[in-house]
């Protein structure tokens, strides 16, 4: 079965712009989580969606938002980009979101803000 | 608060055994994961422990002690391809999220 697909793989944006990243989970998986990975902070949880509903949110400013569609594909949006938003953004796909089914990560979108 | 600690870097020799430790203090616990991540790639699942004890899977084993807030990942018969970052993550079931440690970068030398 196809894995978790994230697009685009690489992105360069200017400060102040906004960006939208996409994640297509494994077929049949209804939970999608988003993480930000930076060298200094490691992986940090952004938010989790299940059946189009945000169930949980991490400690990120409101500039970070997301949504999930009826086909379970998810997008995350970052508005008013700052240099510190440069990171690898990973999404993780899970059948239900609980630990018993595990999580499969996509290869990520590397965002560079200049 | 939420805190997961693991060593930043480790080195080992091809063919040897290495143990990567992880200690955690989290407000919820519904299991502990180990992931492997090669540079520029997605983290890939290695193991999952929810009960105390040792889980063995080929060259990789993972141990959990919930009372001590402690886990380790044991890699045997090290190969060059095992050079990667190893991520310890706790699942806080009440929050549906993984809390990650900063990762341990393992370098395997000939």
């Amino acid at each position: 079965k196809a894995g978790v697909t994230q697009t685009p793989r690489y992105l360069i944006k200017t400060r102040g712009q906004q960006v939208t990243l996409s994640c297509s989970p494994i077929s049949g998986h209804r939970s999608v989580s988003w993480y930000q990975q930076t060298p200094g902070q490691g992986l940090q949880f952004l938010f989790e969606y299940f059946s189009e509903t945000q169930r949980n949110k991490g400690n990120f400013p409101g500039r970070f938002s997301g949504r999930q569609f009826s086909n379970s594909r998810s997008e995350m949006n970052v508005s008013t980009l700052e240099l510190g938003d440069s990171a690898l953004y990973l999404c993780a796909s899970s059948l239900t979101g609980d630990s018993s089914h595990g999580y499969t990560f996509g290869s990520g979108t590397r965002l560079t803000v200049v | 608060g939420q805190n997961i600690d693991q060593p930043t870097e480790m080195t080992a020799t091809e063919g040897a055994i290495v143990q990567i430790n992880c200690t955690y203090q989290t407000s919820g616990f519904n299991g502990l994961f180990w992931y492997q991540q090669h540079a520029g790639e997605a983290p890939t699942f290695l193991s999952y422990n929810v009960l105390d004890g040792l889980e063995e899977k080929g060259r990789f084993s993972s141990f959990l002690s919930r009372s001590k807030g402690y886990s380790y990942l044991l890699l045997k018969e090290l190969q060059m391809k095992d050079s990667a970052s190893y991520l310890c993550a706790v699942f806080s079931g009440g929050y549906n999220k993984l809390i990650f440690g900063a990762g341990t970068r393992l370098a395997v030398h000939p």
Side-chain angles (χ1 to χ4, degrees), chain A residues 9 33 35 37 42-43 45 48 55-58 88 90 97-100 102-107 110, chain B residues 30-31 33 35 37 40-45 48 50 87 91-92 94-102:
Chain A
R9 284 298 308 275
S33 303
Y35 292 84
Q37 186 174 31
L43 274 95
F45 175 79
E48 189 257 2
R55 294 195 295 190
N56 196 11
K57 192 179 189 312
L88 180 66
L90 293 160
D98 68 60
S99 59
S100 62
Y103 302 87
T104 303
F105 282 87
S107 296
R110 184 162 296 282
Chain B
N30 274 58
F33 290 85
Y35 282 87
Q37 186 178 28
E41 298 182 12
T44 55
F45 171 81
Y48 170 62
V50 63
L87 310 175
F91 180 74
S92 284
Y95 302 95
N96 283 323
K97 69 181 182 184
L98 291 173
I99 303 166
F100 281 87

Side-chain angles (χ1 to χ4, degrees), chain A residues 21-68:
Chain A
L21 312 181
S22 179
C23 172
S24 293
I26 291 171
S27 179
H29 284 196
R30 296 165 66 188
S31 169
V32 174
S33 303
W34 288 89
Y35 292 84
Q36 181 194 65
Q37 186 174 31
T38 57
Q41 299 292 323
L43 274 95
Q44 292 190 289
F45 175 79
L46 282 156
F47 26 65
E48 189 257 2
Y49 286 87
F50 179 83
S51 292
E52 303 178 67
T53 300
Q54 186 184 89
R55 294 195 295 190
N56 196 11
K57 192 179 189 312
N59 297 323
F60 279 81
R63 301 185 296 109
F64 292 81
S65 63
R67 60 178 176 169
Q68 188 179 33

Side-chain angles (χ1 to χ4, degrees), chain B residues 19 21-24 32 63-66 68-72:
Chain B
Q19 178 175 312
N21 295 324
C22 171
T23 57
Y24 64 89
L32 187 144
F63 172 83
L64 175 67
S65 169
R66 289 172 296 170
K68 295 181 180 177
Y70 169 69
S71 173
Y72 68 72

Side-chain angles (χ1 to χ4, degrees), chain B residues 24-103:
Chain B
Y24 64 89
Q25 286 180 308
T26 57
S27 55
F29 181 85
N30 274 58
L32 187 144
F33 290 85
W34 283 96
Y35 282 87
Q36 179 192 62
Q37 186 178 28
H38 286 98
E41 298 182 12
T44 55
F45 171 81
L46 290 177
S47 69
Y48 170 62
N49 294 71
V50 63
L51 300 176
D52 290 352
L54 189 68
E55 294 279 343
E56 296 185 86
K57 191 183 294 184
R59 295 190 300 116
F60 295 80
S61 303
S62 58
F63 172 83
L64 175 67
S65 169
R66 289 172 296 170
S67 62
K68 295 181 180 177
Y70 169 69
S71 173
Y72 68 72
L73 179 70
L74 194 71
L75 292 78
K76 304 174 188 174
E77 301 168 15
L78 282 171
Q79 302 175 9
M80 298 298 290
K81 68 178 182 180
D82 297 328
S83 293
S85 288
Y86 291 85
L87 310 175
C88 171
V90 169
F91 180 74
S92 284
Y95 302 95
N96 283 323
K97 69 181 182 184
L98 291 173
I99 303 166
F100 281 87

